[in-house]
Amino acid sequence: MAQEVRVAKTAGFCFGVERAVSKVYEQIAKGGTPIYTYGPIIHNEEVVKDLEAKGVQVLESREELARLKEGCVIIRSHGVGRDIYELLEANGIQIVDATCPFVKKIHHIVEQQIQEGRRVIVVGNSHHPEVEGIRGWGNDTTLTVENAEEIENLPLKEGEKLCIVAQTTFNYNKFQDLVEKFPKKRYDILVLNTICNATQERQVEAKRIASQVDAMIVIGGRHSSNTQKLFEICQKECRNTYYIQTLGDLDPECVNSVRSVGITAGASTPKNIIEEVHTNVRIK
Ligand code: F3S
């Protein structure tokens, strides 16, 4: 039996996702109307399946939204563009807005800066739903860039007024490097760092715990890139690091013979899975 088990405080859902998932359960409790989420509320099959079993349907496209005649649509933490609100309002569909407040803040910035005559440049992955949503608060001049080559090819005019924002999960150092590619002498630039610290805080805490324990457990989906990253970070600090999806993947032998065990989890791992692993490691 491990004598000491430490669970990272930042393990699992970030604030925005936690909030979005609870809004869905609140809506289920209220009942009375069909409930839809626009895209899966979280990248976790178990949670989505549980919600489906409780009657929540996932809609994937704008066309599906447009066909709705009744019910309530929950907008997930990634947020959506203005057109989606307009579409739902026009059709009399109830909106439960679970957009993460940090993302909502970017929407407001984009709207406001455009009104003030600045061209908005979003640094992030143009195919990511969050970035699509942010662009949806911009106008024809709004652009997205992800790397240095893309910046070179931007159709910018000398002296243009720019406002640069970032996708919340963008890497801070990469953002700084890209911002520097916009020559200050050529443009009037306003840079707003809109990166959210949740991912970084989770990584810093995982690294600290992994460096202090005999074995480290990282819980998360096999395809979750943020869990893979956590695993890499922990493995560098602690040779006995184990990557599991659920308790069933954990070989008890690995943690039975050590004095201390650390536990962390990726952004889409629900609390109950973390707790199950915690309880099991503790009482073994
Ligand atoms: Fe999560 Fe919101 Fe940050 S969804 S990662 S807390 S921007």
Side-chain angles (χ1 to χ4, degrees):
M1 183 175 101
Q3 287 165 0
E4 189 203 355
V5 185
R6 294 178 53 188
V7 183
K9 289 194 190 71
T10 51
F13 294 179
C14 62
F15 149 79
V17 168
E18 178 88 54
R19 182 173 167 274
V21 173
S22 12
K23 274 188 191 278
V24 184
Y25 283 101
E26 274 165 28
Q27 210 52 42
I28 295 170
K30 280 187 196 158
T33 186
I35 305 169
Y36 306 93
T37 62
Y38 185 34
I41 198 79
I42 179 175
H43 290 291
N44 180 289
E45 274 175 39
E46 315 251 326
V47 176
V48 174
K49 264 193 218 144
D50 181 54
L51 292 173
E52 262 168 15
K54 295 183 162 71
V56 178
Q57 295 175 55
V58 180
L59 301 181
E60 298 287 355
S61 68
R62 200 177 186 285
E63 290 66 41
E64 282 178 288
L65 283 184
R67 280 199 292 269
L68 291 182
K69 298 268 180 293
E70 55 164 358
C72 140
V73 170
I74 300 167
I75 294 171
R76 57 187 175 169
S77 58
H78 293 321
V80 293
R82 187 193 285 120
D83 64 316
I84 300 293
Y85 291 87
E86 287 170 355
L87 173 75
L88 295 172
E89 278 162 14
N91 292 346
I93 304 297
Q94 188 198 340
I95 300 172
V96 172
D97 195 351
T99 306
C100 175
F102 299 134
V103 177
K104 200 71 220 163
K105 189 172 130 201
I106 309 179
H107 296 172
H108 292 318
I109 292 174
V110 173
E111 251 191 320
Q112 193 188 349
Q113 292 303 320
I114 282 179
Q115 269 170 20
E116 290 178 15
R118 285 186 189 268
R119 182 205 280 270
V120 173
I121 296 179
V122 188
V123 176
N125 174 347
S126 59
H127 303 296
H128 192 284
E130 179 195 319
V131 175
E132 286 171 3
I134 295 171
R135 286 187 60 152
W137 290 88
N139 62 11
D140 300 347
T141 68
T142 309
L143 298 169
T144 308
V145 290
E146 196 177 7
N147 53 46
E149 295 82 74
E150 284 173 7
I151 295 178
E152 278 164 26
N153 298 324
L154 289 180
L156 302 179
K157 291 190 275 308
E158 190 90 28
E160 240 191 284
K161 285 163 78 180
L162 308 177
C163 168
I164 306 178
V165 295
Q167 180 178 348
T168 54
T169 48
F170 207 78
N171 176 282
Y172 178 71
N173 294 334
K174 243 174 109 187
F175 177 66
Q176 288 300 99
D177 287 348
L178 292 180
V179 164
E180 276 168 26
K181 299 271 182 297
F182 292 88
K184 287 198 187 66
K185 281 192 203 125
R186 279 178 61 190
Y187 310 110
D188 168 357
I189 310 180
L190 174 67
V191 179
L192 297 170
N193 173 8
T194 50
I195 294 170
C196 162
N197 291 330
T199 312
Q200 204 204 342
E201 281 167 8
R202 190 183 300 109
Q203 291 175 356
V204 169
E205 192 188 14
K207 183 174 174 181
R208 197 187 60 239
I209 295 179
S211 71
Q212 297 163 349
V213 293
D214 297 329
M216 186 75 191
I217 301 170
V218 181
I219 318 166
R222 211 192 312 270
H223 304 294
S224 152
S225 58
N226 79 84
T227 312
Q228 284 165 14
K229 181 84 196 174
L230 272 181
F231 175 70
E232 278 166 32
I233 291 171
C234 292
Q235 209 180 22
K236 277 201 193 117
E237 301 297 324
C238 172
R239 244 177 347 117
N240 301 323
T241 295
Y242 305 96
Y243 190 154
I244 63 171
Q245 302 208 68
T246 60
L247 179 63
D249 300 332
L250 182 68
D251 176 359
E253 287 305 308
C254 302
V255 288
N256 275 353
S257 51
V258 295
R259 272 178 298 121
S260 55
V261 178
I263 300 173
T264 188
S268 44
T269 306
K271 273 218 168 58
N272 62 325
I273 295 190
I274 304 173
E275 255 147 37
E276 200 183 9
V277 174
H278 183 192
T279 314
N280 222 274
V281 171
R282 204 170 37 199
I283 58 169
K284 266 262 144 57

